[in-house]
Amino acid sequence: MDNMAGLGTALPARQAGAKAHVEDPDLDDQEADIDVREAVKQAFGGPEGRSGLAAALQGGLDSLVGRSSGFDILETLPAPVRRRVETLRTLDGEYQELEAQFLAEKAELEAKYQNLYQPLFVKRADIVAGRIDSESTPDDEPVSEKPETMESAEDEGPSPDNVGVPEFWLRAMKNHELLDEQITARDEVPLKFLVDIKSDKELGEDTKGFRLHFHFLPNPYFSNSILTKSYFMVDEEDPILEKAEGTEINWQSGKNTTVKIMKKKPKKGSKNTKPVTKTEQCESFFNFFSPPKIPEDDEDIDDEEAERLQEVMEADYEMGAVLREKVIPRAVTWYTGEAIMDDDDEDEEDDDEEDDDEGDDDDDDEDEEEDEESSPIKQQKHGIKGPAAPAAGQEQPPECKQQ
C-alpha cells in the first residue's frame, strides 16, 4: 500500500534506547545480544518513556544484524581506497542535504494543495449531507428550489435516509476490502448516520502525524457528533508510529456495538436468584476508536506481548492510512466501485514485481524464510478486527447481538 508498506518492517529502532549495540564498536556479540523483553524494559525506563516502544519492539531484530561499524572497515582499507571512500561519504552528505531540502519543499507543496483541496471536500460534504443540491445541467429535468430530501429532512428531523446521498460513506468503506472486514452487521446502522470523514495534520506545533474526523448526524446510538482518531508519528517518511489515540464514544444505553452482554442463570441452590450479567468485548468497526494501549508497567511486557502489540499497531495504522490516503481523497469512486478495479490493478502490478524478484534467487528466499522463523518479531500482512488480536491458543471474540 505505497506509503503504508514500510510499517511492517516499521517501528524500526531510531531512538537511543534500542541502539546500544551500535554505539560502541568494542562491544562483543554477547553483550550486544539484547532480547526483545530487555529492550522494551530499557525503552520504558529510559528518558523517552512510552514513545520508546517503537524502538524497543525492533530492538530484538537489531541484534541479528552485523555489528561492525564503518570506521572499523575504513581502518582496514589501504590509504588510497580510504580517501576514495571518504570522498564518497562526502557525496552522501551532500545527497542528504538535498534530500532534506526536497522533504521541506515537499511538505510546503503538500500543505499548499491540501488548502486547495478543502473547498472541494467541503462542497462534497454539503452535497452528501443534503445541505446543498448538485448543480443542474441543461439536459436535467427541472427541479424544485429545494430537493425533496432536504424538505423531508426538515419535516422529520435528521435521518440517514433524508440526506443528499444516503449511505455514502458506509458504501465507500465497504467497497474497500480491508475496511469491509472491520464493519459488522451491527455497525452498519450507526454508520448510515456518517455524513463526512475529514483528515488533517493539526496535532500541534512540531507534532508529526495526522487526525481523522468522522462527522455523524444525531443518532440513537451515541451522543458524539464527531469521533476522531489521531496518529502520532516518530517519522512520517518511513513511517514510524509512536502511538494512536481515539475518541471515547458516549454510547446510549443498550446501543454499544463493541460489547456483548451475557446473562447467565444462577446455579441451583444459589442464594442469589438474579441472573449474572457479564460484558464481553466483541468485534466492531467502532473498536477503531479504542486503539491499543501500551502498558505503564514494564513488567507486563514479554516477548509474545511485544510481538502482539506491534502487529496490532501495524493493523490499526494501516486502517487509518487507507482512509486518509485512498478513501477520503477519492470517496466517490469507492462509493460507485470504480476504485476497486484501480486498486486491484495496482495490487496485480505489485504482485508481478514481487514474482519477478522472487524468481531471481531461490537460495535468498530460503535464507529469508529461516530468518523469519528465527526472528522474535513477525510482521502482520492483513488487517485485524477490534482493538487487539487474540494471543495464540485464545478463543476469538464472539459475534455479539445488539443489546
Side-chain angles (χ1 to χ4, degrees), residues 31-326:
E31 291 174 332
D33 275 328
I34 302 175
D35 62 17
V36 175
R37 182 172 184 174
E38 187 60 29
V40 175
K41 288 183 178 180
Q42 289 181 4
F44 280 120
E48 57 277 292
R50 289 163 62 95
S51 65
L53 179 67
L57 292 174
Q58 192 71 12
L61 290 181
D62 290 340
S63 65
L64 302 176
V65 300
R67 300 180 183 84
S68 58
S69 69
F71 295 103
D72 291 337
I73 295 173
L74 289 177
E75 291 172 1
T76 65
L77 298 175
V81 178
R82 190 186 309 168
R83 286 195 299 273
R84 294 169 194 144
V85 174
E86 289 291 357
T87 301
L88 296 178
R89 295 179 68 197
T90 300
L91 293 174
D92 182 67
E94 293 175 3
Y95 168 83
Q96 292 186 52
E97 291 177 2
L98 287 174
E99 184 180 37
Q101 181 180 344
F102 160 71
L103 294 176
E105 293 180 7
K106 177 185 174 184
E108 292 178 0
L109 194 61
E110 287 179 345
K112 172 186 174 181
Y113 277 89
Q114 281 297 326
N115 289 333
L116 295 175
Y117 295 151
Q118 290 313 304
L120 305 179
F121 293 157
V122 169
K123 187 171 183 179
R124 179 181 69 186
D126 286 340
I127 292 174
V128 169
R131 290 187 286 270
I132 65 172
D133 195 15
S134 60
E135 296 165 352
S136 61
T137 67
D139 295 331
D140 289 339
E141 295 182 4
V143 295
S144 59
E145 293 184 4
K146 283 188 178 182
E148 291 182 10
T149 54
M150 298 168 82
E151 291 175 352
S152 59
E154 290 178 0
D155 296 338
E156 301 175 17
S159 166
D161 298 322
N162 297 327
V163 296
V165 186
E167 302 181 26
F168 178 82
W169 287 101
L170 172 60
R171 185 184 297 271
M173 290 194 295
K174 285 183 66 64
N175 276 336
H176 191 284
E177 183 179 7
L178 176 65
L179 301 178
D180 183 46
E181 291 174 356
Q182 317 303 318
I183 299 173
T184 69
R186 302 175 313 283
D187 296 325
E188 292 193 14
V189 177
L191 285 175
K192 290 180 180 180
F193 291 85
L194 178 62
V195 290
D196 195 18
I197 308 177
K198 297 179 180 179
S199 172
D200 64 44
K201 303 184 73 171
E202 299 175 5
L203 296 176
E205 189 175 356
D206 299 327
T207 302
K208 298 177 181 179
F210 62 93
R211 178 176 288 130
L212 302 173
H213 305 256
F214 296 73
H215 293 251
F216 288 84
L217 294 173
N219 63 83
Y221 287 84
F222 44 81
S223 60
N224 312 67
S225 60
I226 301 175
L227 301 179
T228 64
K229 181 65 174 291
S230 304
Y231 291 92
F232 297 86
M233 312 298 291
V234 177
D235 191 328
E236 291 182 293
E237 295 300 321
D238 283 345
I240 304 174
L241 176 65
E242 177 184 336
K243 65 177 180 178
E245 296 178 352
T247 299
E248 181 179 352
I249 302 177
N250 300 319
W251 293 100
Q252 303 290 359
S253 178
K255 297 293 186 178
N256 190 341
T257 66
T258 68
V259 297
K260 177 181 181 180
I261 300 177
M262 307 284 292
K263 291 185 177 181
K264 295 183 179 180
K265 294 181 179 180
K267 295 180 180 180
K268 291 183 178 180
S270 174
K271 294 181 179 179
N272 185 8
T273 58
K274 293 182 180 180
V276 178
T277 301
K278 183 180 180 182
T279 301
E280 294 181 358
Q281 192 79 13
C282 64
E283 295 172 350
S284 170
F285 171 84
F286 291 95
N287 284 324
F288 178 64
F289 299 98
S290 301
K293 302 293 184 183
I294 302 171
E296 296 285 353
D297 189 350
D298 57 4
E299 294 296 331
D300 293 340
I301 290 282
D302 56 18
D303 292 1
E304 184 178 336
E305 180 68 7
E307 178 181 342
R308 187 193 68 80
L309 272 175
Q310 171 146 341
E311 290 177 349
V312 176
M313 290 172 73
E314 287 170 15
D316 180 77
Y317 173 83
E318 185 178 11
M319 188 173 167
V322 161
L323 285 162
R324 177 184 178 235
E325 298 173 9
K326 293 194 172 187

